[in-house]
Amino acid sequence: MPPLAIDRRKLATIGATGAAAVGLLALPAPQATRPTADKRVIKLKYILKICVPSWRSSTILILSMHTFFLVLRTYLTVVVARIDGRLVKDMVAADGKSFLRGLGYFMAIALPATYTNSMIKYLQSKLAVALRTKLTNHVHKLYMGNNTFYKAINLDNRIDGADQLITTDINRFCTATANLYSNVGKPLLDIIIFNYQLARSIGLTGMWGLSLNYIVTATILRAVTPPFGKMAAEEAKLEGDFRSAHSRLITNAEEIAFYNGEELEKSILNKTYTRLIKHINSIYRIRIAYNMFEDFLIKYSWSAVGLIIASIPVFFPNAAGGRTKREEAALALQDAADIATPDADHQMIMDRKTGNRTQGFITNKRLMLSLADAGGRIMYSYKELSELAGYTYRVYNMLRVLEDLSEDKFVKPESTSEPPFTIENRRGVLKYSDEFIRFDKTPIVTPYGDTILVDDLTIDVPAGSHLMITGPNGAGKTSILRVLAGLWPHFAGTITRPAPSLSSIMYLPQRPYLAIGSLRDQIIYPHSHKDMLAAGRTDDELAQILKIVYLDYIPSREGGWDAVKEWKDVFSGGEKQRVQLARLFYHKPRFAVLDEATSAVSTDVEALLYSSAKEAGMTLITISHRPSLFKYHPYLLRIGEGASQNKWVVEQIGTAKSLVDSVESEVRKLQGQLDNMDALRQRLSAINRELSLDAKAGSGMENAKRTLI
């Protein structure tokens, strides 16, 4: 048996047998309906658990400091209200000495009050950044692990615009969450403290009035509030579409310019922008009426109710309770004693009563206005909570999808027919060995299991042998590499390959990828400069590698190894592919899989590169249509051969049998064309009749026959 052949022997492998790397799950598709309140809470709790994983998290410290300053601001508000009432009392009583003393207290408390307000804003921003950092790190770990980024783009359609979700929606969610804590936590604290302070002044009657006012306002606003959460989610999606349209334009700028496609691309950009603006304008129109009603209800109606309740101790002192009633009783006893005095100043008694009532009214009014402001922010926060629900839904959906994809779970798209492979019959086995690559009865199937590209591929590529894969476009050549690399599901059979390591196996795609960074980074990718130095590699070694790929002129042309440029625009097509090959010589893998990796390189340079790779001890697996590469590969895998397009043929290049097989293959193709001659003649006659060319039908038939034959 030759070293490369169809082999059904028992596999002697290095490593353990495991389940197939990828699977399908018929998970429910995300619903576009507005989530219920309990589901919102569950989703928000799920995300916040990621943002705040434990009580020892740094986010807890920021949250504690934020809470401390929120409490401090509430306390200072109560103190300022009392000082305000005292200032007005002293002003009415014309007591200049007490007025100046109270003004000094007011200015003394201004410094801690302004510092507290600044710290609240600062810590609110820090809280948003801390939440975003935790959440973004978690998403990056999911997104960039197990090729999840590839699966999210190519194999699953549950999330659209992952870049928009990661960069913008997470930021909006974290900002909204931090704002909501401040806009809800502080008002709730204010309501508790201010209600306690007011209860001592206005009694139970006023408190029942405040409670009734809260209940009525909350009920009305809940009934009339539009679905802002759903609107915010739709706006975020449309923003992502608009951003993706511009990203697509930047990525394909050269191709679009060659085609003169400016007008069509401009129309696409305008359409996506128009959809976004129409949605935003519709939200603005809805908010006009809502904001008018909301402001009337909260600002003016609440102010009127607040003035009425604050006036209770003045007009109905017997209805008030607590401190106000005691103060009124003490004041009445003092007035009675003063009146009994022979030289009593009745005007002074009246001024004192007026001043005390003024102080009480101003203090209560200040507390009532602060309480109304707190209640108003609570009511306004319902709208913010609805928008947060929209962001929560998008971020939560993204997290769950990324978790599914990191575990190789996909949503099965709707189909009218049952696919040949599903999760129920998936039995693929993956093994590891550094000595060979082997497919054993492995079908090459599209990711959702609906189309078989290659039937039961069985082939063995030992180290030191070289394989070339050819076949028509769409036959499944690159798909073999995707299944081998674990990018596509492995539904059946056994695959044996080296463990994922750059020193064991390396894949080179047809379109080279040039990373952001220096010229050095392009050669050593995906290693960093730190990795290179740790491995004991030097720039002189990189210069020798560039000589192998005939790019030794690049460092001097581009300004040295540390030069940073937009390399995809700097290098030509052939230079890009040779830079990619330089990575191959830098990492020196045991197996190298090349997918049309030299299609833009001249034939003579290509020959030298393949010779150098073989001399370096690499085992080459090449996908190419170039016959000039046959001599570097002793074995050939033909995809799409025979009567069925799912068939494959393995042959040894250069043997008499391979030459006979090639001739027989060409004969079969010609025979197929000749067998189709009758149908072609009939079609030609029909066309001639339609074109009224019967007179020339005979000569046309002969010409067509000679051309086809």
Side-chain angles (χ1 to χ4, degrees):
M1 179 180 292
L4 177 74
I6 302 174
D7 189 2
R8 302 181 184 275
R9 298 172 297 176
K10 182 178 180 180
L11 298 178
T13 63
I14 300 175
T17 302
V22 184
L24 293 172
L25 284 183
L27 300 177
Q31 300 295 321
T33 57
R34 186 179 178 181
T36 59
D38 57 337
K39 291 183 178 179
R40 292 178 187 174
V41 173
I42 292 173
K43 292 174 181 177
L44 182 61
K45 182 179 178 181
Y46 174 83
I47 300 175
L48 291 180
K49 188 175 181 181
I50 297 173
C51 298
V52 189
S54 69
W55 290 105
R56 292 178 293 180
S57 173
S58 59
T59 309
I60 294 296
L61 177 60
I62 298 174
L63 195 62
S64 301
M65 295 177 63
H66 194 196
T67 303
F68 169 77
F69 281 101
L70 289 177
V71 175
L72 181 60
R73 187 171 72 173
T74 301
Y75 170 75
L76 293 175
T77 302
V78 175
V79 174
V80 169
R82 292 177 179 175
I83 294 175
D84 196 15
R86 180 175 177 178
L87 285 172
V88 175
K89 173 188 174 182
D90 293 336
M91 188 184 299
V92 172
D95 187 348
K97 186 176 180 180
S98 297
F99 177 79
L100 291 176
R101 185 165 51 249
L103 191 61
Y105 292 153
F106 183 81
M107 294 304 298
I109 206 172
L111 182 61
T114 53
Y115 176 75
T116 299
N117 290 331
S118 298
M119 285 300 296
I120 286 174
K121 294 179 181 178
Y122 169 75
L123 291 171
Q124 180 174 317
S125 301
K126 286 287 292 182
L127 179 61
V129 172
L131 295 175
R132 184 183 182 184
T133 300
K134 291 286 186 181
L135 192 54
T136 301
N137 289 338
H138 179 77
V139 170
H140 283 175
K141 183 178 179 181
L142 289 175
Y143 192 60
M144 300 307 296
N146 196 24
N147 293 320
T148 302
F149 64 94
Y150 175 86
K151 300 167 188 174
I153 297 171
N154 297 285
L155 305 183
D156 198 292
N157 59 0
R158 280 180 287 171
I159 55 176
D160 186 19
D163 55 341
Q164 165 77 11
L165 287 165
I166 296 173
T167 59
T168 303
D169 285 20
I170 286 181
N171 181 40
R172 289 177 176 176
F173 167 81
C174 295
T175 301
T177 302
N179 292 345
L180 189 67
Y181 177 75
S182 180
N183 295 339
V184 173
K186 171 65 166 59
L188 285 176
L189 184 64
D190 289 351
I191 288 174
I192 295 172
I193 295 178
F194 294 157
N195 278 333
Y196 171 74
Q197 293 292 329
L198 286 169
R200 300 174 63 189
S201 300
I202 62 178
L204 293 178
T205 303
M207 294 307 301
W208 280 112
L210 284 177
S211 301
L212 181 62
N213 183 42
Y214 291 150
I215 295 172
V216 171
T217 304
T219 303
I220 295 175
L221 283 180
R222 182 176 178 83
V224 302
T225 301
F228 287 112
K230 185 177 180 181
M231 294 178 185
E234 181 64 19
E235 180 182 351
K237 179 183 180 301
L238 293 175
E239 288 277 8
D241 293 343
F242 184 53
R243 178 174 178 170
S244 297
H246 274 281
S247 299
R248 178 176 169 273
L249 179 65
I250 294 172
T251 303
N252 303 283
E254 182 174 321
E255 291 81 0
I256 294 171
F258 276 132
Y259 282 114
N260 292 325
E262 296 91 342
E263 290 299 323
L264 178 60
E265 296 301 325
K266 183 176 71 173
S267 67
I268 294 174
L269 294 177
N270 289 339
K271 286 178 183 178
T272 54
Y273 179 73
T274 301
R275 285 196 296 267
L276 172 63
I277 293 304
K278 282 184 178 179
H279 180 72
I280 293 176
N281 286 333
S282 67
I283 296 176
Y284 289 162
R285 286 192 294 270
I286 292 173
R287 282 181 174 172
I288 290 175
Y290 177 77
N291 289 339
M292 287 177 59
F293 180 79
E294 188 180 45
D295 289 347
F296 174 80
L297 187 65
I298 294 177
K299 290 184 178 179
Y300 298 98
S301 298
W302 276 35
S303 297
V305 172
L307 289 172
I308 293 172
I309 295 176
S311 67
I312 290 178
V314 177
F315 296 109
F316 308 99
N318 292 330
R323 186 183 64 187
T324 298
K325 194 168 185 178
R326 291 193 299 270
E327 289 176 351
E328 287 289 339
L331 185 61
L333 291 174
Q334 184 179 357
D335 290 345
D338 290 342
I339 293 173
T341 303
D343 57 347
D345 188 346
H346 294 281
Q347 184 62 39
M348 182 185 68
I349 295 172
M350 295 301 297
D351 290 344
R352 184 171 64 243
K353 292 177 69 175
T354 302
N356 287 333
R357 287 172 178 171
T358 301
Q359 178 183 2
F361 176 77
I362 293 300
T363 301
N364 290 339
K365 180 184 176 183
R366 186 68 178 257
L367 290 175
M368 187 65 67
L369 291 176
S370 299
L371 184 61
D373 178 68
R377 279 183 286 156
I378 290 290
M379 299 304 169
Y380 286 135
S381 66
Y382 183 77
K383 177 176 61 178
E384 297 175 359
L385 184 61
S386 297
E387 293 180 353
L388 176 61
Y391 300 139
T392 301
Y393 174 71
R394 284 176 61 82
V395 173
Y396 174 83
N397 181 58
M398 175 189 65
L399 289 171
R400 296 311 301 264
V401 171
L402 292 182
E403 288 176 356
D404 286 343
L405 296 181
S406 66
E407 298 174 1
D408 300 316
K409 301 174 183 177
F410 302 91
V411 165
K412 175 183 171 184
E414 295 183 1
S415 176
T416 56
S417 60
E418 184 67 20
F421 290 95
T422 61
I423 184 62
E424 289 78 11
N425 62 4
R426 180 174 57 87
R427 298 184 180 88
V429 176
L430 177 63
K431 299 182 179 182
Y432 295 106
S433 172
D434 290 334
E435 301 301 323
F436 54 85
I437 293 176
R438 177 176 293 162
F439 290 84
D440 186 13
K441 297 182 180 179
T442 303
I444 307 301
V445 187
T446 52
Y448 297 114
D450 50 357
T451 303
I452 299 176
L453 301 174
V454 181
D455 278 330
D456 293 344
L457 180 62
T458 303
I459 193 170
D460 191 5
V461 186
S465 298
H466 309 280
L467 173 68
M468 184 169 175
I469 304 174
T470 63
N473 293 331
K477 302 184 299 296
T478 303
S479 301
I480 296 176
L481 271 59
R482 294 177 181 136
V483 174
L484 177 64
L487 301 182
W488 276 19
H490 172 203
F491 288 101
T494 301
I495 294 178
T496 306
R497 62 175 174 84
S501 170
L502 292 174
S503 61
S504 299
I505 188 168
M506 191 171 179
Y507 305 88
L508 270 64
Q510 180 177 2
R511 188 175 68 177
Y513 171 70
L514 300 174
I516 298 174
S518 65
L519 176 61
R520 181 188 299 104
D521 294 333
Q522 310 312 308
I523 310 302
I524 65 178
Y525 185 84
H527 281 181
S528 63
H529 190 201
K530 182 178 178 181
D531 297 330
M532 171 185 164
L533 296 177
R537 315 292 286 272
T538 64
D539 289 344
D540 292 337
E541 186 177 352
L542 298 186
Q544 294 299 320
I545 291 174
L546 289 186
K547 286 183 179 180
I548 296 176
V549 297
Y550 301 95
L551 291 177
D552 51 309
Y553 57 89
I554 290 294
S556 59
R557 188 188 76 179
E558 302 300 336
W561 293 108
D562 295 315
V564 177
K565 298 183 179 181
E566 192 65 42
W567 299 108
K568 67 182 181 64
D569 300 325
V570 171
F571 295 139
S572 65
E575 287 176 339
K576 292 176 184 178
Q577 288 194 337
R578 280 182 282 165
V579 166
Q580 184 173 237
L581 290 168
R583 297 172 186 168
L584 191 68
F585 289 102
Y586 172 81
H587 293 288
K588 295 181 180 178
R590 190 173 180 83
F591 288 86
V593 185
L594 293 78
D595 183 7
E596 298 282 358
T598 57
S599 58
V601 179
S602 61
T603 305
D604 53 340
V605 174
E606 181 184 58
L608 296 172
L609 292 174
Y610 267 85
S611 298
S612 299
K614 294 180 69 174
E615 291 173 1
M618 304 178 199
T619 301
L620 305 176
I621 299 177
T622 303
I623 294 178
S624 179
H625 291 95
R626 288 189 174 183
S628 58
L629 294 178
F630 282 7
K631 59 184 177 181
Y632 302 103
H633 304 81
Y635 301 98
L636 179 66
L637 171 62
R638 296 182 182 270
I639 303 297
E641 294 285 344
S644 173
Q645 294 301 312
N646 299 332
K647 295 296 182 181
W648 49 271
V649 176
V650 178
E651 60 186 43
Q652 188 172 357
I653 299 176
T655 63
K657 183 178 183 302
S658 66
L659 295 176
V660 172
D661 291 341
S662 298
V663 172
E664 291 179 351
S665 177
E666 293 298 324
V667 169
R668 286 196 297 270
K669 292 179 181 179
L670 293 175
Q671 186 62 44
Q673 294 179 352
L674 292 174
D675 293 340
N676 200 33
M677 280 297 298
D678 292 337
L680 292 174
R681 291 191 183 96
Q682 294 175 2
R683 179 57 181 160
L684 182 59
S685 299
I687 293 174
N688 287 335
R689 287 193 299 270
E690 292 174 2
L691 298 176
S692 301
L693 296 177
D694 293 338
K696 299 181 180 179
S699 60
M701 182 71 71
E702 292 300 323
N703 292 334
K705 181 177 179 180
R706 284 194 296 270
T707 302
L708 291 172
I709 295 177

